[in-house]
Amino acid sequence: MEFHEVIEKRRTSRIFTQGVTEAQLRTLLATGAKAPSSGNKQSWEFIVVEDRKLVDQIAELKYQYNRKFPPGPGESQREVEERARNQKTWFKNASVVAVCTQGGDVASAWLAVGNISLTAVADGLGSGIIGFGGEEKKAVETLLGLPAGYELVCVLKLGVPEGPVTKPPMRPEFSWLHTNIF
């Protein structure tokens, strides 16, 4: 697949029919580790979470985290709860990788995540990025045994997407571009 096509086709996958194979996972993580990094520190760490009990605990923490968000415009609390429940169930059938960093070098870890997500598309796979904050982020870090000085950047779900992934609405091209000042 041509590089620009990979970028055009990248979408967030939420539902998977199966996770990735060990060989696919190694390829994905190896491309993540080839990302640029601040000062070439390569401060990212990847934790492959194979234990389904741990995956279920991470999914529960994501559910608890998302329940805390207030309803958006025109949205009910019931819809917030439903979305949070979906976040929990979307871990089913996915391979799960926690992306961590050392010394606050979050930007470099995100570049690694970008490489992994684009490689997944090129290999006919899907990815979903799961963010955490607050006490749930700390709970995932504790659950995964992160040493002092390391932090969770995100959790990646990887696998074979269930059906086609639709393109979300995009802002008009260059509506986000400013010159000299905002």
Side-chain angles (χ1 to χ4, degrees), residues 6-7 14 22 26 30 36 49 62 76 82 85 90 134 137 139 166 172:
V6 168
I7 291 173
R14 290 178 174 79
E22 185 175 338
R26 292 181 71 76
V49 185
K62 181 60 178 169
S76 70
E82 183 179 334
R85 242 188 341 272
W90 290 339
K137 178 180 175 180
T166 59

Side-chain angles (χ1 to χ4, degrees), residues 15-165:
I15 303 171
F16 301 91
T17 59
Q18 65 184 49
V20 298
T21 66
E22 185 175 338
Q24 289 169 323
L25 185 58
R26 292 181 71 76
T27 297
L28 293 167
L29 297 180
T31 60
K34 289 179 175 76
S37 65
S38 174
N40 197 32
K41 293 177 190 159
Q42 303 171 35
S43 63
W44 46 71
E45 302 287 338
F46 306 110
I47 303 170
V48 178
V49 185
E50 295 176 331
D51 182 334
R52 290 320 291 184
K53 287 174 94 175
L54 282 176
V55 170
D56 289 346
Q57 288 175 294
I58 292 169
E60 176 64 26
L61 288 164
K62 181 60 178 169
Y63 166 68
Q64 295 300 332
Y65 179 64
N66 276 41
R67 295 181 77 212
K68 294 178 180 179
F69 289 107
E75 186 178 46
S76 70
Q77 188 61 45
R78 195 172 124 255
E79 290 168 307
V80 170
E81 177 67 24
E82 183 179 334
R83 192 174 56 246
R85 242 188 341 272
N86 285 341
Q87 284 281 342
K88 182 178 178 176
T89 62
W90 290 339
F91 278 84
K92 183 180 175 190
N93 299 328
S95 296
V96 176
V97 177
V99 180
C100 309
T101 191
Q102 183 180 23
D105 187 16
V106 174
S108 297
W110 279 114
L111 290 169
V113 168
N115 275 13
I116 293 167
S117 295
L118 291 173
T119 301
V121 172
D123 291 349
L125 302 167
S127 66
I129 301 169
I130 304 298
F132 287 91
E135 64 189 55
E136 289 81 11
K137 178 180 175 180
K138 293 289 182 205
V140 173
E141 291 171 343
T142 299
L143 187 65
L144 298 177
L146 268 64
Y150 287 83
E151 72 173 291
L152 177 72
V153 173
C154 69
V155 171
L156 280 173
K157 296 180 303 157
L158 302 162
V160 177
E162 180 181 276
V165 181

